[in-house]
Structure formats: structure tokens, C-alpha cells
Amino acid sequence: MDEFEHVSVMLSECISELNIKQEGIYVDLTAGGGGHSIEIAKKLDFNKGRLICFDRDKEAVAAAMDRLSDYRAEFINDNFSAFSEYMDKKGIDKIAGAIMDLGVSSHQLDSVERGFSFREDAPLDMRMSREGLSAYDVVNTYGPERLIEILFKYGEEKYARGIVNGIIKHREADLIKTTGELAEIIKNNVPLKVRRDKNPCRKTFQAIRIEVNGELTSVSKTIPAVFERLESGGRLCVISFHSLEDRIVKNLFKEFSTGCICPSDFPVCVCGKTPRGKLITKKPFLPSEEEVENNPRSRSAKLRIISKI
């Protein structure tokens, strides 16, 4: 296996804001190469603290296991949506903190054969787990209206209809097998000005990747489940890399931290709703200029943190 390369984003901010207790139970829901995990592990009491690491990518799990070989950590090769099932299975009622890094790893992006990048020609894949539905399946079997919906919803691509028309036309002659073929179709079906100003493939590739991996559904399901398991004072750190994910995180954190929802003209509260969380970040942390310079892929990252009351 090639060395798993991934630079952890806002590492010091995450570790500092988790307020790690030596004897606590912590969960890294996106272990990647183990960058955040190992820094959490270093702060735990070897005999009493506990670290649980999830990742759906077998290569990521293998790399993290190797990196944390001198520490006590449990590894689960599964999507973080399996969080509640695993916690129930292990009889874990409360945790002291958790972290989610929702970005695609540098290793996945740089492994050409994984088919995540529109800059290199490779088989259409984009599966984080290397199992199940692939980008090839989405591009070649989904109907035109469904494809348009995905590009609009997950890529916020305003030229979705033209791009999909190009995909369907190509499909009628031959299946679309590679990222290069798809990129060329996209470029040929957006206005010339868009092609000149920037690479027009990013939004479509993002949309298809999100569909392939069920990313937004998993995030919407897992964040509330993790929040419910936090002990009083426990913290959840979430790093997002595009507006769709960040909007989900922001809205869920707002819901957790909001109290009375009675109309403003009610003299007293009758709903009885009280805040269950406290926002540690009213505005998200952003990577420093130095971090962006050293790791350009961090430039769109936003870190939001909430504490359980």
C-alpha cells in the first residue's frame, strides 16, 4: 500500500477546543490518516482514556492503525453513520467529545485511480469505501431529470441542464467510462466564458461524489446522534469544506442551542424548550493564512464547535 498522505486541517484549533479529559471517551468519526486521532490519543490516559476511530476507507484505517500503533485506539472500517449502532453494541452511553472532518482526504484526491479528480484521466469511481454505487453507475444509469436534480442540489450548478444534455447525448453513442471523458463533456456544455474564467468541472464532480457516497444524508443523520451521546460539557467539532455541508452543521447547531420558540408576543414561555447546547463558535474558525499557504486545500474549511449543556 502506498503511504497514506493527508494533512489534517485546523489541527491545533480542534485539539485545543475539544477540551480533552485524560479519562474521557473520544470519537474521531473521520480518522483519515490519523492526524487528529493521534493528537487526541497523546492527551489520553493510556489505561483509562478511550479513543474510537471510524473511516469507511480501508486504506485510511490501515494507515491510522499503523500511526497509532503505540496508543490504545479502536478502529471501525465503516461510515460514521454506523456511530449509534456501534455505541449501542459496545454499551457506550456517553462520550466526552468527537470530531468530524468532512473533507475528501488528500490521499483520495491524489490517488488517480480513485477517480475523484477532474484534473487526471481515470476510471469513474469516487467511492470512499470502494464498494457499492460508483460515479460510473450514476453517470451512465440515472435518468436525465435525476441527474439535473443532483447537479442543481449538490453542486449548485446553474448549467446543470446543458451538462446533463451533453451526458445523455454521449451516452446514446457510448458509455462514459473515465473522469477525462466526463470533464470534456462538461467543458463542451457550459458557456465559453465559464471555461475561460475557471475550470467548470468542480461543481459537477462534487455533486456526483456527494451522491455516490451519500454524504449529506450521513451528516444530517450522524450529527444529532453524536450530540445526543455527549456528556455534559462534552464537545463536538465539525470541519466542513463546502456550503451545503456547512449549512447543515450550522442549522443543526443552531437548533441544539436554541431555547424558547414561543411567539415574541407571548407573555410567558409555554413551549418549555430549553437550550441543549452552547455554541463555542458563533462564527466558524477559518484556517490561518499560513495554513492555507502550506495546505491550499484547507482554504474553504470551516470549523464549528458546540458543547453539550
Side-chain angles (χ1 to χ4, degrees):
M1 182 187 71
D2 294 335
E3 185 177 353
F4 195 102
E5 298 260 348
H6 181 60
V7 180
S8 297
V9 174
M10 287 188 272
L11 180 59
S12 62
E13 292 89 339
C14 289
I15 301 305
S16 172
E17 295 298 332
L18 268 176
N19 265 2
I20 296 170
K21 301 175 184 176
Q22 286 188 321
E23 299 179 4
I25 300 175
Y26 290 86
V27 182
D28 187 341
L29 291 143
T30 48
H36 289 109
S37 296
I38 195 167
E39 296 304 323
I40 295 171
K42 287 176 181 177
K43 291 183 174 291
L44 297 179
D45 182 290
F46 188 84
N47 295 309
K48 296 179 180 179
R50 191 171 179 181
L51 175 62
I52 302 167
C53 305
F54 284 79
D55 206 289
R56 60 165 66 176
D57 189 325
K58 289 183 175 66
E59 294 179 8
V61 171
M65 288 179 71
D66 181 63
R67 192 169 188 182
L68 277 82
S69 59
D70 293 334
Y71 300 91
R72 288 186 64 202
E74 302 161 53
F75 296 90
I76 302 95
N77 180 204
D78 206 341
N79 189 332
F80 53 60
S81 60
F83 168 81
S84 291
E85 180 184 350
Y86 184 84
M87 295 295 120
D88 289 342
K89 181 180 176 181
K90 293 294 183 179
I92 301 172
D93 184 47
K94 294 294 181 183
I95 62 174
I99 183 169
M100 301 173 76
D101 178 346
L102 302 177
V104 182
S105 76
S106 297
H107 178 79
Q108 290 168 335
L109 289 171
D110 293 337
S111 297
V112 175
E113 74 278 4
R114 302 292 295 268
F116 283 99
S117 176
F118 48 79
R119 301 185 189 280
E120 305 283 351
D121 194 25
L124 267 177
D125 194 332
M126 302 192 195
R127 295 173 297 178
M128 292 181 180
S129 65
R130 293 197 165 184
E131 297 176 350
L133 182 79
S134 70
Y136 175 89
D137 300 321
V138 172
V139 171
N140 288 296
T141 67
Y142 278 27
E145 291 307 314
R146 178 65 180 135
L147 282 173
I148 290 169
E149 179 187 8
I150 289 169
L151 266 58
F152 270 130
K153 185 177 179 181
Y154 297 154
E156 300 178 300
E157 175 54 80
K158 63 181 179 180
Y159 302 111
R161 193 167 295 278
I163 292 169
V164 171
N165 286 341
I167 289 172
I168 300 302
K169 185 176 180 181
H170 192 287
R171 257 167 42 176
E172 291 171 353
D174 193 11
L175 295 177
I176 302 166
K177 303 179 183 70
T178 72
T179 55
E181 290 173 0
L182 179 59
E184 197 61 29
I185 292 167
I186 296 167
K187 291 172 185 176
N188 290 336
N189 286 277
V190 297
L192 183 60
K193 183 179 184 301
V194 176
R195 279 179 272 165
R196 285 175 177 160
D197 289 350
K198 56 186 176 181
N199 193 309
C201 300
R202 188 182 307 277
K203 292 180 179 180
T204 295
F205 271 65
Q206 172 184 296
I208 294 170
R209 191 201 79 221
I210 289 172
E211 171 67 11
V212 166
N213 295 290
E215 294 173 39
L216 299 187
T217 302
S218 295
V219 170
S220 298
K221 171 185 173 184
T222 305
I223 287 178
V226 175
F227 181 77
E228 291 302 324
R229 298 264 176 173
L230 288 176
E231 62 188 33
S232 178
R235 292 188 174 190
L236 170 60
C237 298
V238 183
I239 303 170
S240 60
F241 287 82
H242 57 75
S243 60
L244 297 174
E245 285 175 340
D246 183 59
R247 198 174 301 138
I248 292 171
V249 179
K250 179 181 178 180
N251 289 340
L252 285 171
F253 280 16
K254 182 179 179 181
E255 178 188 331
F256 300 152
S257 59
T258 297
C260 174
I261 54 173
C262 293
S264 58
D265 57 349
F266 275 31
V268 294
C269 173
V270 295
C271 73
K273 188 175 185 297
T274 57
R276 295 182 296 146
K278 176 185 177 183
L279 291 176
I280 303 302
T281 50
K282 288 187 169 62
K283 290 186 177 181
F285 285 133
L286 304 177
S288 66
E289 291 182 10
E290 182 181 2
E291 179 169 5
V292 172
E293 185 177 341
N294 292 330
N295 178 22
R297 286 173 176 163
S298 71
R299 64 185 177 277
S300 60
K302 291 183 178 180
L303 168 61
R304 295 186 185 272
I305 307 162
I306 193 166
S307 175
K308 186 77 169 286
I309 293 176

